Amino acid sequence: MTTAAKPWDAALVRIWLDRRIAAARLDQAAADRRGYDCRDDYDQAAAEEWACRALNDAAWTDEQAAFAGRIKELIGRDSYQATGLYDDIRFERHVRAYLRKLAKMTKANEGFDKTLRHQ
């Protein structure tokens, strides 16, 4: 007894990415207000925003295979450029971890319906 896989919903994925970008901005602002001890939180939120921005394009989100291919391409990069970070190496590690999370979500086609700020 297997259930049919859900069809890819490009609009839902774009909404999810937009909401994750907004949540990452709020997380960056909160980490910035908390100060020196929360530098890693800031870099992690910046990595989430960077990854979602890199994927938030209709060319990538229209088809599941194209979205997965774009994620794979981004994971394969040597470096990720961003400004205002505390630690570039930590930022790159967070970007790759977040992209791997997105790759798993894309492969299973689940999790994009969870649009609350905290996940």
Side-chain angles (χ1 to χ4, degrees):
M1 295 261 211
T2 60
T3 59
K6 295 186 303 185
W8 182 254
D9 187 355
L12 182 64
V13 172
R14 282 191 290 276
I15 289 169
W16 186 87
L17 288 169
D18 287 337
R19 291 194 179 169
R20 293 313 310 155
I21 290 169
R25 284 185 188 161
L26 292 173
D27 290 344
Q28 287 176 53
D32 201 30
R33 282 192 303 272
R34 287 192 307 260
Y36 183 80
D37 292 335
C38 295
R39 292 177 301 164
D40 187 51
D41 294 342
Y42 182 91
D43 288 342
Q44 187 171 9
E48 180 179 359
E49 181 183 2
W50 188 94
C52 289
R53 281 194 183 284
L55 293 167
N56 195 13
D57 186 7
W60 312 119
T61 57
D62 284 342
E63 294 180 15
Q64 186 174 7
F67 194 67
R70 176 69 173 157
I71 292 171
K72 187 175 181 180
E73 175 190 329
L74 290 173
I75 290 173
R77 280 192 183 179
D78 289 335
S79 65
Y80 306 97
Q81 299 297 320
T83 58
L85 304 172
Y86 290 102
D87 186 349
D88 291 336
I89 294 170
R90 183 173 42 208
F91 171 76
E92 290 179 7
R93 185 178 65 234
H94 288 311
V95 168
R96 284 190 181 89
Y98 197 76
L99 289 170
R100 284 192 300 271
K101 173 188 169 186
L102 286 174
K104 289 178 185 176
M105 288 173 58
T106 302
K107 184 177 180 181
N109 192 16
E110 59 185 35
F112 293 108
D113 56 341
K114 299 176 184 174
T115 56
L116 297 177
R117 178 177 173 202
H118 299 286
Q119 295 201 1

